Amino acid sequence: MLHYTYLLINFFAVIVCFIFSFHPKIKFNRFFVPFIKSAVLVLIPFIVWDAWFTRMGVWWFNDTYLLGVRLLGLPVEEWLFFVCIPFSCVFTYFCLDKFFELDWKPKIDFYFSVLAIVLCLVCALLTVALIYPFITFLLTGLSLVYLKFIAKVSWIGKLSFVYTILLPGFFMVNGVLTGTGLDQPIVNYNSDHFMGIRIGTVPVEDAVYGYMMILWNIYFFKRFSEKYQ
């Protein structure tokens, strides 16, 4: 039964959102196609990054909790993670945006975005010797630069607020993956490559990594779902 652990984590992370996506007041099922398109687009670079770091030994996976099927050196459950978690996050963003007025004033969104960019780039400079936080903070900062100043999106503050709401659930899921409640972690981290700051059992870098992943999922989801409105 232990071999199904990671698979069950993915299942329980997505099943409630999936069921409610068919609710007549939500009708998120109408947006499954744009979600799948956005998830696949974002999945590709993240899988490459994941496979690279796995090969380098930045992190690795405990076979005790896996089915044993691997693609590009990654457990199939890890591939599903990049679909299940974005689905729940995009669904939550969609619902909150649909039923509540969450838009930020343009100036506030602009200043928040600039602050987030500066913080990410400063953190990248401070962790240049540690590959996981350095790349995570750098790419998140550059992602924000692109989204705010090139794509000119107006929802970074709103998405950041929703992501903050989602963080407890994020830490619950990642907590189990990193060893909370288990005899051993499912995902192990090489202490030579990250800051060593954890919230519970979760490296703080994971929260930034997840934030960047959701930024791009929302960006492409909005692009692809325009004709479904």
Side-chain angles (χ1 to χ4, degrees), residues 95-110:
C95 290
L96 292 176
D97 192 38
K98 181 181 180 73
F99 296 112
F100 300 95
E101 180 54 56
L102 300 178
D103 290 331
W104 290 28
K105 292 182 179 180
K107 282 189 176 181
I108 296 176
D109 186 84
F110 174 82

Side-chain angles (χ1 to χ4, degrees), residues 21-32:
S21 66
F22 295 93
H23 192 285
K25 290 186 177 180
I26 299 174
K27 297 181 181 178
F28 186 73
N29 58 301
R30 295 185 298 123
F31 297 90
F32 279 179

